[in-house]
Amino acid sequence: MPLNRRTFLGTSAAAGAGAAVAGAVGATPAAAAPRAKRYSFTVMGTTDLHGNVFNWDYFTDKEFDDKAHNDVGLAKISTLVQRVREEKGRGNTLLIDAGDTIQGTQLSYYYAKVDPITAARGPVHPMAQAMNAIGYDAAALGNHEFNYGIPVLRKFQEQCDFPLLGANALDARTLRPAFPPYSMHRLRTPCGRDVRVAVLGLTNPGIAIWDKAHVSGKMVFPGLEEQAAKWVPRLRSMGADVVVVSAHSGSSGTSSYGDQLPYVENAAGLVAEQVPGIDAILVGHAHTEIPEYRVTNKETGKDVVLSEPLKWGQRLTLFDFDLVWSKGRWTVERVAARVLNSNTVEEDPGIVRLLGDEHEKVVAYVNQVIGTSTAAMSTAEAPWKDEPIIDLINQVQAETVRAALAGGEYASLPVLSQASCFSRTARIPAGQVTIRDAAGLYPFENTLEARVLTGAQLKDYLEFSARYYAQTPAGAPVDTAKLTNAGGTPDYNYDAVLGLSYEIDIAKPAGSRIVNLSFEGKPLDPAARFVLAVNNYRASGGGAFPHVAAAKQVWANSDEIRNTIIQWVRARGTVDPGSFASVGWRLTRDGVPVFQEGAV
C-alpha cells in the first residue's frame, strides 16, 4: 500500500498501541521511543495547456475527442484540483504548471491577435482568468509563451495572480533573470515549524532560435543544468525544506534542433541526475505521459521523482510528499508521483460560467466564411501521398515569397516551398470555407521565411526528410499504420517540397532514398541556387534538417502562415485544387509506385 499521511498516521497509531501492550508485560516507560513528527502534502501539476480552457476543439467546432477518449481543458482540471484539495486539505497542497500556456487554440490566439490583451482597456486573457480562479501557485515559462512577442507575455504575466518563473530566461544586457527564478511557499503543519517549499522554474533554451525574432538582443536562455546548479543551493541556504523544479523541458536528453545551440532541449532528466538537492521535477514540453520516473542523482545517490502529465489538461500530476521532523528540520522521507485523468470528471461549472462569453466569441470568429472550395481536400493520406491540401499550403507560401522578392536581387531564382502535415484530420470541405478550416490545416503560429539553398543541399534536405518512412522491401505488404514515423519522427518533421519532382524509394535505407530528382523536367543541378519558402521553426533549426538554418535569409514575414492562407483564400474567393495541385513526389520501391493514384 502506498504510504501517505493518512495511512502512515494509522500505522503509527497501531505501533503505539503495540508499544503500550509491550510495556504492560515488562517493558519500562523509558524504553518507548518518542513518536516522530510527520507531515504530508501534495504538489499538483499541469503542463502544455496550450490555451485549452474547455473540452472543445475549435478546429472542428465540437467537443474534443481522440482515439483514447481523452478530455482537455482547465475546466476539467479545476474539478480534479477541487477533489484533491477536499481530500488533502487545501493548506496541504500546491498547484503549479510547467509552461506553454498561452498558445495553441483559437481561444488563446483570439486574445493575443484579434482582441489582444495588450490593447488599451484590453481583456484579461482567458488562461489568466481560469488559472487565477483555480488558484495556481506558480507556473514556469514555456517556449510558446514567446510566440506572440514579449509585450503579450508581459501583459499576461501582469494579469496572473501567481508568478511566471524562468531562472534561465536572462536579460541579454545584464544577464540577470528577466522573470522570477523561483517562488517560496509555506505550508503550515500541525507539529513543528512550517514546511518551506521552493519551486524553481526553468524554461527551454530553444526559445533563442524558435523565437529569435522576438528575443534576439533582449533575452538569452542558458542551459537548464547550469542554472539549476546555481539556484538549488541558494534555495536550500534560504531554508527550503523541499525543492521542486518546474521545467519546460522533456526528460529524454535529446534535442530537436541539432547543434544550433550548445544546450540540451529535453534536459529534465539531466538536471535530476547532475544537480543535487532536488526532490521532484514537473516535466513539460515533450507532450508525453510519464506518471512517475525516478532518476538517481550522481552525487547524492538519492532518487529524484519526475512526472509529466499529458498535454492540454488531459492529466493532472500529483506528487505526494511525506516528511519527518529530525534534528531540528524537516526532511523528505518519501516522494511518489501519479497522474489523474481529466476524462473521469465533469467540467467545473464555475469556470464554464466565468469564461462562457469568451468561448462564444471565439466560436463565432472561427466560423466566419472566408471563401469557397470547388472540391473537398483532406490530410488523411497526406503522410504518404502528395495531396492537394498540402499543395495548397505550399502554393500560398511560394506565391507569397515570389511576390516579396519581385524586382529584387533574388527575383530570378526559382522559388520552392516546404510544408508538413500537422494534423491527419484537417480538411477543406467542398463549398464554404471558414477560418477554422484554415486554422485546422495550419494550427501553429509559424511565420514564413525565404532561404537560399543549392540543388545539392536540397537533395540532402529531402534525404533527411525521407527518414520518416520505415524501410519496406519491394514486394512486401505495405501497412500505412507502420509505414511512417520511423525512429519516432513526428509528422511535423516530414517535409514535402513543392517545385521539384522526386521519388522516395522506401526499399532503400535512409540516406539514399531520393531518386529521379528533377527540376522542370531535367535532373537537378547540384550547383543551381533556389529560394526555399520555409517556416521559421524549420529555418531556425527545428527538426535539425541540414543546411537550412545556416542558409542565407533573403526575406522574412512577421505574420503567421495561417493568416497568410486565410488572406489568400479571401482574396481569391474560390479555392480550385485544379489550379495548383500536382503530384510532385511519390513513394516507390525499385521504381514501382507504392500507391496507385486515387488508392491507398
Side-chain angles (χ1 to χ4, degrees):
M1 176 184 294
L3 188 64
N4 57 36
R5 184 166 182 260
R6 182 176 297 162
T7 56
F8 192 92
L9 291 177
T11 55
S12 296
V21 172
V25 294
T28 64
R35 181 181 299 177
K37 296 177 181 178
R38 300 184 184 277
Y39 176 66
S40 297
F41 71 96
T42 297
V43 176
M44 298 174 280
T46 54
T47 191
D48 296 278
L49 293 168
H50 283 288
N52 285 280
V53 171
F54 299 108
N55 188 42
W56 192 261
D57 186 343
Y58 292 96
F59 298 141
T60 61
D61 198 26
K62 61 185 179 180
E63 185 174 299
F64 176 88
D65 196 21
D66 61 12
K67 291 181 180 178
H69 301 298
N70 288 303
D71 287 346
V72 301
L74 278 170
K76 292 265 184 173
I77 290 295
S78 182
T79 303
L80 289 175
V81 168
Q82 288 179 29
R83 291 188 177 183
V84 173
R85 286 171 174 162
E86 289 171 1
E87 177 189 350
K88 308 284 184 180
R90 177 157 188 158
N92 301 321
T93 65
L94 294 171
L95 175 60
I96 63 176
D97 184 79
D100 275 7
T101 304
I102 60 171
Q103 176 277 337
T105 64
Q106 285 298 286
L107 179 72
S108 54
Y109 177 82
Y110 186 89
Y111 288 97
K113 292 285 191 174
V114 181
D115 185 11
I117 61 175
T118 49
R121 300 180 181 178
V124 177
H125 199 290
M127 293 301 287
Q129 291 192 59
M131 295 174 81
N132 289 342
I134 295 168
Y136 274 77
D137 294 288
L141 294 165
N143 54 284
H144 284 289
E145 260 64 84
F146 293 84
N147 285 172
Y148 298 120
I150 293 175
V152 170
L153 174 54
R154 288 299 191 192
K155 188 64 178 180
F156 175 70
Q157 179 187 25
E158 176 187 317
Q159 294 176 342
C160 291
D161 294 340
F162 52 90
L164 298 183
L165 308 177
N168 62 326
L170 310 181
D171 182 276
R173 184 176 58 85
T174 65
L175 297 184
R176 293 177 179 173
F179 295 85
Y182 66 90
S183 58
M184 191 75 77
H185 309 269
R186 284 181 176 268
L187 300 179
R188 192 171 300 279
T189 73
C191 50
R193 178 171 59 81
D194 293 350
V195 170
R196 285 170 285 192
V197 182
V199 179
L200 178 68
L202 297 170
T203 192
N204 205 286
I207 295 166
I209 55 174
W210 298 324
D211 277 297
K212 182 179 179 180
H214 295 309
V215 301
S216 181
K218 300 174 183 177
M219 293 184 193
V220 294
F221 302 87
L224 283 81
E225 309 99 304
E226 169 192 323
Q227 293 301 304
K230 172 183 176 180
W231 283 102
V232 172
R234 292 189 186 185
L235 296 174
R236 290 294 185 181
S237 69
M238 292 164 59
D241 302 297
V242 179
V243 173
V244 177
V245 173
S246 184
H248 192 74
S249 181
S251 61
S252 64
T254 62
S255 291
S256 66
Y257 51 79
D259 59 359
Q260 296 299 306
L261 280 179
Y263 308 119
V264 176
E265 176 185 352
N266 296 303
L270 297 175
V271 171
E273 181 182 77
Q274 297 176 14
V275 181
I278 298 170
D279 297 298
I281 301 179
L282 178 65
V283 179
H285 184 62
H287 288 203
T288 57
E289 181 177 346
I290 305 174
E292 183 184 88
Y293 173 47
R294 292 178 178 268
V295 175
T296 302
N297 184 266
K298 285 185 175 181
E299 183 173 326
T300 66
K302 295 181 179 179
D303 278 356
V304 181
V305 177
L306 285 70
S307 180
E308 181 175 4
L310 199 58
K311 65 186 184 298
W312 305 347
Q314 294 179 35
R315 303 288 186 274
L316 175 71
T317 278
L318 303 186
F319 290 105
D320 293 314
F321 290 85
D322 292 319
L323 277 61
V324 62
W325 180 266
S326 176
K327 298 180 181 179
R329 61 187 296 267
W330 288 107
T331 301
V332 175
E333 190 172 55
R334 176 183 175 275
V335 186
R338 55 196 168 103
V339 296
L340 303 181
N341 194 328
S342 67
N343 72 4
T344 62
V345 297
E346 298 299 318
E347 291 186 326
D348 177 357
I351 301 299
V352 173
R353 286 193 301 270
L354 178 68
L355 292 165
D357 289 345
E358 286 83 348
H359 171 73
E360 292 302 324
K361 284 182 182 178
V362 176
V363 169
Y365 165 73
V366 299
N367 281 294
Q368 290 181 41
V369 175
I370 57 174
T372 60
S373 177
T374 61
M377 296 178 281
S378 167
T379 56
E381 297 181 9
W384 53 84
K385 286 185 178 181
D386 187 349
E387 288 288 280
I389 197 167
I390 303 299
D391 289 342
L392 172 61
I393 299 173
N394 273 325
Q395 182 69 21
V396 172
Q397 292 181 164
E399 285 188 18
T400 302
V401 168
R402 198 174 292 117
L405 299 180
E409 178 183 356
Y410 299 94
S412 63
L413 294 183
V415 176
L416 313 176
S417 179
Q418 64 79 221
S420 304
C421 176
F422 294 124
S423 167
R424 297 192 183 194
T425 59
R427 59 185 295 273
I428 301 293
Q432 291 186 335
V433 179
T434 64
I435 285 176
R436 66 179 171 86
D437 296 324
L441 176 60
Y442 213 110
F444 298 109
E445 267 70 60
N446 292 341
T447 58
L448 188 60
E449 297 189 16
R451 301 275 178 135
V452 177
L453 295 173
T454 66
Q457 290 174 326
L458 286 163
K459 170 83 159 40
D460 291 343
Y461 188 100
L462 292 172
E463 288 285 9
F464 185 87
S465 184
R467 301 175 312 149
Y468 174 70
Y469 296 106
Q471 188 172 1
T472 309
V478 176
D479 182 355
T480 57
K482 299 177 181 179
L483 177 62
T484 62
N485 307 103
T489 304
D491 290 348
Y492 62 76
N493 275 341
Y494 171 68
D495 286 359
V497 173
L498 178 74
L500 299 176
S501 178
Y502 57 97
E503 297 174 3
I504 302 173
D505 190 334
I506 59 173
K508 298 180 183 295
S512 58
R513 291 177 168 175
I514 303 301
V515 295
N516 296 327
L517 178 58
S518 64
F519 173 69
E520 293 185 343
K522 298 179 181 179
L524 185 67
D525 180 356
R529 295 198 306 161
F530 299 84
V531 172
L532 180 67
V534 58
N535 70 55
N536 68 303
Y537 172 76
R538 186 72 76 239
S540 298
F545 277 62
H547 308 304
V548 66
K552 183 177 180 59
Q553 182 195 80
V554 295
W555 179 79
N557 192 10
S558 61
D559 200 14
E560 294 90 356
I561 293 170
R562 175 174 59 223
N563 280 349
T564 304
I565 296 172
I566 290 170
Q567 296 308 319
W568 188 90
V569 174
R570 275 183 167 148
R572 280 154 185 76
T574 300
V575 178
D576 179 8
S579 67
F580 57 78
S582 63
V583 179
W585 64 273
R586 57 170 52 89
L587 301 185
T588 61
R589 291 183 294 183
D590 295 342
V592 178
V594 175
F595 303 108
Q596 299 300 318
E597 295 307 314
V600 177

